[in-house]
Amino acid sequence: MNVTIKDVAKAAGVSVATVSRVLNNSAAVSASAAENVNNAIKKLGYSPNFLGRNLRKCETNIILAIIPSTEQTFYSEIIRGMQNAASELGYDILLSASNSSRDVEMRMLNMLFNRIVDAAILLGTQLDVKTLDGLNRQHYIALCCERVEGAELLTVTVDDEGGAFDAVKHLIKMGHRKIGMVSTSVNSMSSHDREQGYRKALEENGIPFREDYIYRGTYDFIHGVKAFEHFMGLPEPPTALFCISDILAASVVKKAISEGYAIGKDISVCGFDNILLSHMYTPGITTVEQPCYDIGRTVVEELIHNINHGERSNKAIRLPYKIIERESVGHYADTNNK
Amino acid sequence: MNVTIKDVAKAAGVSVATVSRVLNNSAAVSASAAENVNNAIKKLGYSPNFLGRNLRKCETNIILAIIPSTEQTFYSEIIRGMQNAASELGYDILLSASNSSRDVEMRMLNMLFNRIVDAAILLGTQLDVKTLDGLNRQHYIALCCERVEGAELLTVTVDDEGGAFDAVKHLIKMGHRKIGMVSTSVNSMSSHDREQGYRKALEENGIPFREDYIYRGTYDFIHGVKAFEHFMGLPEPPTALFCISDILAASVVKKAISEGYAIGKDISVCGFDNILLSHMYTPGITTVEQPCYDIGRTVVEELIHNINHGERSNKAIRLPYKIIERESVGHYADTNNK
DNA sequence: GTGAAAGCGCTAACAC
DNA sequence: GTGTTAGCGCTTTCAC
């Protein structure tokens, strides 16, 4: 049933070598031979078996991107960037979801070990520095969106610290001095870096850091609600909240509204990521935009560069962010904290 | 640099056949030989090259799921269902995004033609009946979430018509008689089937169908806004809106709020899908839940069954929905359309 | 410009 | 229980 290069060769009256040549444009072939081959291919409905090709060439031209969760629309533009860059350079991007499980992540990485793919990009990882460095020694691999402290491998992220710094500075500029932060206790350097930015912005403006002004949960929606409850239970609640993600910001806003707060007046809320939700929400959520498309493009371009040059760069690339102002942040002058 | 089965055989002092046997548990091997092999594998850091294996076995145990867009969190649970079913049956799921482009979709399907994967699942497709039927004759392929009229291949969806029917019946039960529908003019049978359900519910309750009570745009967020403008510009605007997706419902709600409408009072809105957003939104959006996880499981189980039995079923499986009541739908008694 | 043939890494049939 | 070997479909060197 399966038609192979041999069948095509026979039908075209040439050798398999010639068929291979027209298939790959790898060497000059006479016009008539080429025509015969192409006709035979069409007639037989032949498509080459890449397992044979890939085995022979020791490459698949596929890059695997491992996503922690497909629940996050956030990855969407990153993936588009990856795909476009890859396609231009003759590669395909395949995706898989690790569900933030170390085991699943390793299982997916088997694709790399088994030579099913040429390289892997981890958008968030459960692996530790040592494992990562070990992988990087043997394979082409990169981190995207989430850096790992101490790991020496190609990493592309937004400038997390800078974004948080500017977001908090924006809140301060709007007159806020009591600024809380909704962060995570998850092992995540982006959380860490954003906390750093938050602290620096406070410091630079002479606002003392208060431990009770920082709430740490997970990325899960519910923790926006919990954070809000925590802050509003404080004797001196914040007038503005900087959240580590738009999902958490939306959750805070939802809870605040249901408690009768006027967003942008009684309480200001700033998110991070600029996912569609932050724009769709009522009110629109002020946030820090990540250059997702560029992040995706960049990591693929760098990775393929590494493959082509047999290099193993450990560049840590930080791309610029942008503050997007919407309605969820208002002037402190208007603020009348309940 | 690359260590192969030969190297392991040499290091273990056995033949490659024996190594293969312990690798695959394919035949009895003496305990001592097995131990030697395992030690050699560990010592050399060997992992099998699946290109060789797959070429030899003419199978890869990979199923490719082609998603129109990674922007839709809706697919998340479906994918989890697919992964779990696949994993139990010895397969892996790989994903790719077609961005709703026919060309990209075909490019991804090359993975199937090229034997990189054993089967493909299309979650929405740009291909026509003839192409699909042709593919189905040559390959293992299935449709998921979106059926194609007339196409004879394995298809798993929610009961779109039934879900819409019950959703609209729910609105009627809440006292509404003037019910608009936000649909799409996109070539999508789920839209079509949900329109059918809408019409049947009206009919069954003696409510005449009005062409101006149906708005057709795309799935894009902006069309909720446009739909709302359309309906409210009518001399006799609807008191309730049934939307084909939660995204569109959220968009309608956002626009309505910004125009000063009280949701669930001045206007009721029902969505479809039950994505996280419909729960996160303020107010919570009443919607039709799809059994996403089961949809994913089912399509993979059926597909692998087909592979294992060399069958090419054309089952059209419709899974049951569930109405989720939240705050965006209220009694007509309360309604005071502006 | 073309063909013969080796060989990529693996599995499995066969012989022992 | 184990080893030898053919061959999966392809690319590529080499000789012509």
Side-chain angles (χ1 to χ4, degrees), chain B residues 10-21:
Chain B
K10 195 177 297 175
V14 298
S15 73
V16 293
T18 299
V19 177
S20 176
R21 285 181 191 112

PDB file of all heavy atoms in Angstrom, chain B residues 10-21:
ATOM      1  N   LYS B  10      28.133  -3.728  22.358  1.00  0.00           N
ATOM      2  CA  LYS B  10      29.561  -3.986  22.557  1.00  0.00           C
ATOM      3  C   LYS B  10      29.936  -3.854  24.032  1.00  0.00           C
ATOM      4  O   LYS B  10      30.553  -4.733  24.617  1.00  0.00           O
ATOM      5  CB  LYS B  10      30.388  -3.010  21.707  1.00  0.00           C
ATOM      6  CG  LYS B  10      31.841  -3.425  21.555  1.00  0.00           C
ATOM      7  CD  LYS B  10      32.594  -2.456  20.638  1.00  0.00           C
ATOM      8  CE  LYS B  10      32.018  -2.459  19.222  1.00  0.00           C
ATOM      9  NZ  LYS B  10      32.669  -1.447  18.352  1.00  0.00           N
ATOM     10  N   ALA B  11      29.509  -2.754  24.631  1.00  0.00           N
ATOM     11  CA  ALA B  11      29.840  -2.495  26.034  1.00  0.00           C
ATOM     12  C   ALA B  11      29.273  -3.579  26.954  1.00  0.00           C
ATOM     13  O   ALA B  11      29.855  -3.908  27.986  1.00  0.00           O
ATOM     14  CB  ALA B  11      29.322  -1.125  26.445  1.00  0.00           C
ATOM     15  N   ALA B  12      28.110  -4.120  26.575  1.00  0.00           N
ATOM     16  CA  ALA B  12      27.467  -5.116  27.427  1.00  0.00           C
ATOM     17  C   ALA B  12      27.927  -6.526  27.070  1.00  0.00           C
ATOM     18  O   ALA B  12      27.565  -7.494  27.744  1.00  0.00           O
ATOM     19  CB  ALA B  12      25.950  -5.008  27.296  1.00  0.00           C
ATOM     20  N   GLY B  13      28.676  -6.633  25.995  1.00  0.00           N
ATOM     21  CA  GLY B  13      29.146  -7.947  25.572  1.00  0.00           C
ATOM     22  C   GLY B  13      28.043  -8.847  25.060  1.00  0.00           C
ATOM     23  O   GLY B  13      28.068 -10.060  25.253  1.00  0.00           O
ATOM     24  N   VAL B  14      27.036  -8.260  24.447  1.00  0.00           N
ATOM     25  CA  VAL B  14      25.943  -9.051  23.865  1.00  0.00           C
ATOM     26  C   VAL B  14      25.698  -8.549  22.443  1.00  0.00           C
ATOM     27  O   VAL B  14      26.380  -7.642  21.986  1.00  0.00           O
ATOM     28  CB  VAL B  14      24.648  -8.909  24.692  1.00  0.00           C
ATOM     29  CG1 VAL B  14      24.837  -9.424  26.106  1.00  0.00           C
ATOM     30  CG2 VAL B  14      24.180  -7.453  24.708  1.00  0.00           C
ATOM     31  N   SER B  15      24.712  -9.140  21.789  1.00  0.00           N
ATOM     32  CA  SER B  15      24.384  -8.679  20.429  1.00  0.00           C
ATOM     33  C   SER B  15      23.346  -7.557  20.478  1.00  0.00           C
ATOM     34  O   SER B  15      22.682  -7.365  21.494  1.00  0.00           O
ATOM     35  CB  SER B  15      23.815  -9.828  19.609  1.00  0.00           C
ATOM     36  OG  SER B  15      22.511 -10.116  20.059  1.00  0.00           O
ATOM     37  N   VAL B  16      23.221  -6.861  19.381  1.00  0.00           N
ATOM     38  CA  VAL B  16      22.221  -5.790  19.322  1.00  0.00           C
ATOM     39  C   VAL B  16      20.817  -6.345  19.529  1.00  0.00           C
ATOM     40  O   VAL B  16      19.952  -5.663  20.087  1.00  0.00           O
ATOM     41  CB  VAL B  16      22.274  -5.032  17.981  1.00  0.00           C
ATOM     42  CG1 VAL B  16      23.573  -4.258  17.847  1.00  0.00           C
ATOM     43  CG2 VAL B  16      22.062  -5.962  16.800  1.00  0.00           C
ATOM     44  N   ALA B  17      20.590  -7.560  19.090  1.00  0.00           N
ATOM     45  CA  ALA B  17      19.264  -8.159  19.260  1.00  0.00           C
ATOM     46  C   ALA B  17      18.903  -8.226  20.738  1.00  0.00           C
ATOM     47  O   ALA B  17      17.787  -7.893  21.132  1.00  0.00           O
ATOM     48  CB  ALA B  17      19.240  -9.542  18.635  1.00  0.00           C
ATOM     49  N   THR B  18      19.860  -8.646  21.524  1.00  0.00           N
ATOM     50  CA  THR B  18      19.595  -8.749  22.959  1.00  0.00           C
ATOM     51  C   THR B  18      19.312  -7.383  23.565  1.00  0.00           C
ATOM     52  O   THR B  18      18.404  -7.215  24.374  1.00  0.00           O
ATOM     53  CB  THR B  18      20.791  -9.414  23.670  1.00  0.00           C
ATOM     54  OG1 THR B  18      20.948 -10.718  23.129  1.00  0.00           O
ATOM     55  CG2 THR B  18      20.566  -9.494  25.163  1.00  0.00           C
ATOM     56  N   VAL B  19      20.078  -6.406  23.146  1.00  0.00           N
ATOM     57  CA  VAL B  19      19.820  -5.055  23.642  1.00  0.00           C
ATOM     58  C   VAL B  19      18.400  -4.636  23.279  1.00  0.00           C
ATOM     59  O   VAL B  19      17.639  -4.152  24.120  1.00  0.00           O
ATOM     60  CB  VAL B  19      20.819  -4.043  23.049  1.00  0.00           C
ATOM     61  CG1 VAL B  19      20.492  -2.637  23.525  1.00  0.00           C
ATOM     62  CG2 VAL B  19      22.247  -4.421  23.411  1.00  0.00           C
ATOM     63  N   SER B  20      18.051  -4.861  22.024  1.00  0.00           N
ATOM     64  CA  SER B  20      16.696  -4.516  21.571  1.00  0.00           C
ATOM     65  C   SER B  20      15.653  -5.231  22.421  1.00  0.00           C
ATOM     66  O   SER B  20      14.637  -4.660  22.791  1.00  0.00           O
ATOM     67  CB  SER B  20      16.537  -4.888  20.101  1.00  0.00           C
ATOM     68  OG  SER B  20      15.218  -4.657  19.674  1.00  0.00           O
ATOM     69  N   ARG B  21      15.945  -6.481  22.744  1.00  0.00           N
ATOM     70  CA  ARG B  21      14.987  -7.253  23.542  1.00  0.00           C
ATOM     71  C   ARG B  21      14.778  -6.642  24.918  1.00  0.00           C
ATOM     72  O   ARG B  21      13.648  -6.538  25.377  1.00  0.00           O
ATOM     73  CB  ARG B  21      15.460  -8.699  23.685  1.00  0.00           C
ATOM     74  CG  ARG B  21      15.255  -9.507  22.429  1.00  0.00           C
ATOM     75  CD  ARG B  21      15.713 -10.945  22.581  1.00  0.00           C
ATOM     76  NE  ARG B  21      15.744 -11.601  21.274  1.00  0.00           N
ATOM     77  CZ  ARG B  21      16.843 -12.002  20.647  1.00  0.00           C
ATOM     78  NH1 ARG B  21      18.030 -11.876  21.222  1.00  0.00           N
ATOM     79  NH2 ARG B  21      16.770 -12.563  19.464  1.00  0.00           N
TER      80      ARG B  21
END
